[in-house]
Amino acid sequence: MPVKFTEDAFNGLIIDSDSIATDDIEFHASLSAILAYSAQQNKGITWLTLPIEKSHHVGSATALGFVFHCCQEHELTLVHKNQPAQFVPFIPSHTVGAGALIKNAAGEILVVQEYGMTGYKLPGGHVEQGERIEDAVLREVLEETGIECEFISVLGFTNKHPYRFGKSNLYFVCQLRPLHTNIQIQDTQEILDARWISLSEFQRDTRNSAYNHELFSALLDLPGLCQQTLVNNMGVHKKLEIFFANQKDG
């Protein structure tokens, strides 16, 4: 059975992963025919995504001129360019993290200490693929401290490069409001301690990084960017989240 493909809106071809044969000789012949058609029709890019159970075809694909584009846990995407200068949409270049600045009614801030750390920091962690920043930071705080919160705003963000695997990292500092103050660590494999502490006590502790000292001083009690719902945020280009500055009075 020949490998199937569809034409995309950008003068490219997308190979149907489900139609890829298990036999490598059959796959090589089908892929060669698709590339011949692509060249004849002056197509720009041919996209090939191999599920992990068909990853033995990588050698045949690269021998025909495919190169790696991006990889996920269960699949590898390769591309073939008919012209060396052909533009290929960028591969994932950033990871995203979120931390929570949380103050209770007594004016204390919530901090955590991870195993291997000497000082304390904001609770928070990685934003998963497809996850909203708001949901991620609420989840991470609950996992690390056991405290349920309400999302208020984004206070700021940082951009770090290089980070893991040579990518950049965007880190969003979010303001949350605690719904209770009872600490009960759930992620006991990562978090050694979690506590409420006054800002002055945090700043006096030299074990805490100078960066975190400055972060708390710069952002505590600021309003930040709030989550917004826009009437025209719809359709195929709908934004997952929108954070805007507070609207002006009047």
Side-chain angles (χ1 to χ4, degrees), residues 163-180:
Y163 193 58
R164 295 172 183 166
F165 311 114
K167 307 299 182 183
S168 299
N169 177 255
L170 291 175
Y171 178 78
F172 290 84
V173 181
C174 305
Q175 180 179 202
L176 308 184
R177 179 182 295 120
L179 301 180
H180 62 85

Side-chain angles (χ1 to χ4, degrees), residues 15-249:
I15 294 175
D16 177 12
S17 299
D18 293 335
S19 69
I20 295 174
T22 300
D23 181 77
D24 193 51
I25 295 177
E26 182 180 348
F27 168 77
H28 189 279
S30 295
L31 195 58
S32 297
I34 291 174
L35 292 179
Y37 171 83
S38 176
Q40 182 183 31
Q41 298 298 316
N42 294 316
K43 296 296 181 181
I45 303 172
T46 301
W47 296 89
L48 170 65
T49 297
L50 292 174
I52 195 168
E53 63 270 16
K54 297 177 181 178
S55 59
H56 57 283
H57 292 321
V58 168
S60 289
T62 56
L64 289 171
F66 280 83
V67 295
F68 295 163
H69 181 266
C70 60
C71 182
Q72 298 188 52
E73 186 174 357
H74 298 293
E75 63 183 29
L76 171 67
T77 297
L78 303 93
V79 295
H80 182 280
K81 298 188 292 184
N82 283 334
Q83 299 295 330
Q86 178 70 41
F87 171 75
V88 178
F90 66 91
I91 62 175
S93 60
H94 287 72
T95 58
V96 180
L101 188 54
I102 306 169
K103 187 173 73 169
N104 63 19
E108 298 169 317
I109 53 178
L110 182 63
V111 294
V112 298
Q113 182 183 36
E114 296 178 349
Y115 282 98
M117 285 182 58
T118 56
Y120 288 77
K121 68 177 189 69
L122 297 177
H126 182 68
V127 179
E128 302 293 343
Q129 181 172 306
E131 187 178 31
R132 301 193 307 167
I133 295 169
E134 175 180 346
D135 294 335
V137 72
L138 291 172
R139 171 183 55 78
E140 286 286 348
V141 170
L142 182 63
E143 291 174 359
E144 295 185 355
T145 69
I147 294 178
E148 296 177 288
C149 295
E150 174 188 4
F151 184 90
I152 303 300
S153 65
V154 170
L155 294 173
F157 68 92
T158 64
N159 184 15
K160 182 177 182 179
H161 183 83
Y163 193 58
R164 295 172 183 166
F165 311 114
K167 307 299 182 183
S168 299
N169 177 255
L170 291 175
Y171 178 78
F172 290 84
V173 181
C174 305
Q175 180 179 202
L176 308 184
R177 179 182 295 120
L179 301 180
H180 62 85
T181 58
N182 182 33
I183 293 175
Q184 190 171 1
I185 298 171
Q186 298 182 22
D187 188 358
T188 55
Q189 299 299 311
E190 179 184 1
I191 303 301
L192 175 63
D193 187 32
R195 63 178 60 183
W196 293 102
I197 187 172
S198 69
L199 179 60
S200 59
E201 184 178 353
F202 181 87
Q203 301 291 43
R204 287 196 304 269
D205 192 339
T206 57
R207 296 176 302 169
N208 301 325
S209 73
Y211 168 79
N212 283 327
H213 284 292
E214 193 166 0
L215 183 152
F216 277 103
S217 296
L219 296 179
L220 194 63
D221 297 324
L222 293 181
L225 305 177
C226 296
Q227 181 78 266
Q228 302 289 336
T229 301
L230 301 187
V231 174
N232 293 313
N233 183 34
M234 60 180 67
V236 295
H237 299 298
K238 181 177 180 179
K239 307 296 188 292
L240 185 62
E241 290 177 288
I242 298 174
F243 299 101
F244 283 170
N246 289 330
Q247 295 181 358
K248 296 180 181 179
D249 294 335

